[in-house]
Amino acid sequence: RQIAHANRELEQANAELDSFVYLASHDLKSPMRGIRQLADWLEQDMAENLSNDARRYLELIHSRIGRLQDLLDALLDFSRIGRNAMVLTTVDVLEEVRRTVALQDLPEAWTFEVNGERLAARTDKNLLFVIVANLVRNAVKHHDREVGHLQLSVAGDVDDWTLTVTDDGPGIPRQMQARVFEMFQTLKAKDVVEGSGMGLAIVSKAVARLDGSVRVESDPTKRRGSRFVVRFPLVVREAHAPES
C-alpha cells in the first residue's frame, strides 16, 4: 500500500510538472516574440548609424532569442508527451520508421539506411515518430563531419521489438552516457553546437510512455560512432493510453 501510495504521489507530481512546463513555456513565447520584434525595429530604424559593435550585439541578441525559442519549443514537446492521451493502433513499424526518416530535413551529403523485419506492433504512431525523428536529428546535429552515415534497423522478438540507430559520429564518452538522456545535457558547449539539450530527454520520456527502454552503446577510445538501442513491447498496455 505504501508503494502504491508513493507511485500515485509520483504520478501526480509528474503531471503537475508537465502542466507547469507546458504553461510556462507557452506563456513565454509571446514576450519572446516581442523582444525579437523590438530588436528588428531597432536594427531597421538605426541601420545607417549602427557601429560594427552595435551590429554584433544585435546579432548576438537574435542568436540568443533563437536559442531560447528552440528551448521553449523543446519544452513544449517534452510536456506534451505526458499531457496528451495516447492513441494505440496496429502499425507496420518498419514502414513507420522509413516514413519518419523520409520526412526529416536532412543534409544531402548524408546517407541513410533503414532495414529489418516487417512486423506489426500496437503502439502510438505519434510517439514513435517523435522517438525516431529525435534520434535521427541528434545523430546529425552532433556529428563532427559534413558527411555521415546513419543506419536504422528493426528486429522482432516474441513479445518485444527493437529499434537500433547507429551513426558514425565522434561517439559518446562512457562517463557521459548516463547523462545524455537528461534535460539540457549537451556534450559540447551550446555556443559550439546549437541545440536545446532536450532531444534525447524527449526520446527517453516518449520511450517510457510506451513501456519501453533505451540505452546507448559507444566507446570512442576504440571506434567511432554510437548505437542507440530502443526496446518496445509489441503491444503497449491499454492502461497507459488515457493519461491526461
Side-chain angles (χ1 to χ4, degrees):
R1 285 196 300 269
Q2 288 179 336
I3 293 175
H5 179 68
N7 284 338
R8 286 194 297 272
E9 288 187 336
L10 180 60
E11 289 174 359
Q12 181 179 355
N14 285 336
E16 291 173 353
L17 178 60
D18 281 332
S19 294
F20 170 77
V21 170
Y22 178 84
L23 292 172
S25 48
H26 183 272
D27 290 348
L28 284 171
K29 280 178 165 289
S30 180
M32 281 307 307
R33 285 193 294 268
I35 294 172
R36 183 190 295 273
Q37 192 171 43
L38 287 171
D40 288 339
W41 288 345
L42 183 62
E43 189 172 11
Q44 293 169 10
D45 291 345
M46 302 186 64
E48 297 180 358
N49 300 314
L50 283 174
S51 65
N52 291 335
D53 283 343
R55 292 184 187 279
R56 183 167 59 87
Y57 297 152
L58 282 171
E59 288 174 0
L60 286 173
I61 290 174
H62 282 295
S63 173
R64 297 302 187 268
I65 291 173
R67 183 182 298 172
L68 184 53
Q69 186 70 53
D70 291 342
L71 177 58
L72 293 177
D73 290 340
L75 285 171
L76 279 173
D77 290 340
F78 185 84
S79 66
R80 287 189 183 109
I81 293 172
R83 290 172 57 85
N84 294 345
M86 291 197 297
V87 178
L88 301 180
T89 57
T90 300
V91 300
D92 181 331
V93 293
L94 182 60
E95 286 305 310
E96 287 299 317
V97 171
R98 284 176 174 160
R99 181 180 69 87
T100 302
V101 174
L103 289 174
Q104 304 309 304
D105 183 16
L106 302 171
E108 294 183 1
W110 273 61
T111 56
F112 298 85
E113 180 182 354
V114 181
N115 54 45
E117 301 178 41
R118 299 287 297 269
L119 55 92
R122 185 167 177 77
T123 189
D124 184 288
K125 291 173 62 174
N126 289 331
L127 287 179
L128 182 57
F129 179 93
V130 166
I131 292 165
V132 176
N134 276 281
L135 286 173
V136 170
R137 293 171 193 159
N138 180 76
V140 173
K141 181 180 295 183
H142 295 286
H143 206 283
D144 57 344
R145 298 175 180 174
E146 294 185 2
V147 179
H149 178 75
L150 192 64
Q151 180 177 3
L152 298 91
S153 62
V154 172
D157 204 340
V158 176
D159 299 314
D160 305 284
W161 68 278
T162 301
L163 169 68
T164 304
V165 180
T166 307
D167 64 57
D168 59 351
I172 302 172
R174 293 195 176 211
Q175 66 271 21
M176 289 293 298
Q177 290 177 16
R179 296 174 54 193
V180 294
F181 296 105
E182 298 175 3
M183 297 173 66
F184 313 124
Q185 292 295 322
T186 57
L187 296 183
K188 295 181 179 179
K190 291 181 174 61
D191 288 328
V192 178
V193 177
E194 287 287 343
S196 63
M198 289 290 295
L200 292 181
I202 290 172
V203 168
S204 179
K205 187 174 183 180
V207 169
R209 188 85 195 277
L210 293 176
D211 296 326
S213 63
V214 57
R215 71 178 191 274
V216 59
E217 300 172 354
S218 183
D219 189 353
T221 64
K222 294 182 178 179
R223 63 180 66 86
R224 289 179 59 83
S226 299
R227 177 183 293 113
F228 288 86
V229 182
V230 194
R231 195 166 186 84
F232 303 95
L234 283 172
V235 178
V236 174
R237 290 178 293 170
E238 292 282 353
H240 285 239
E243 184 177 326
S244 60

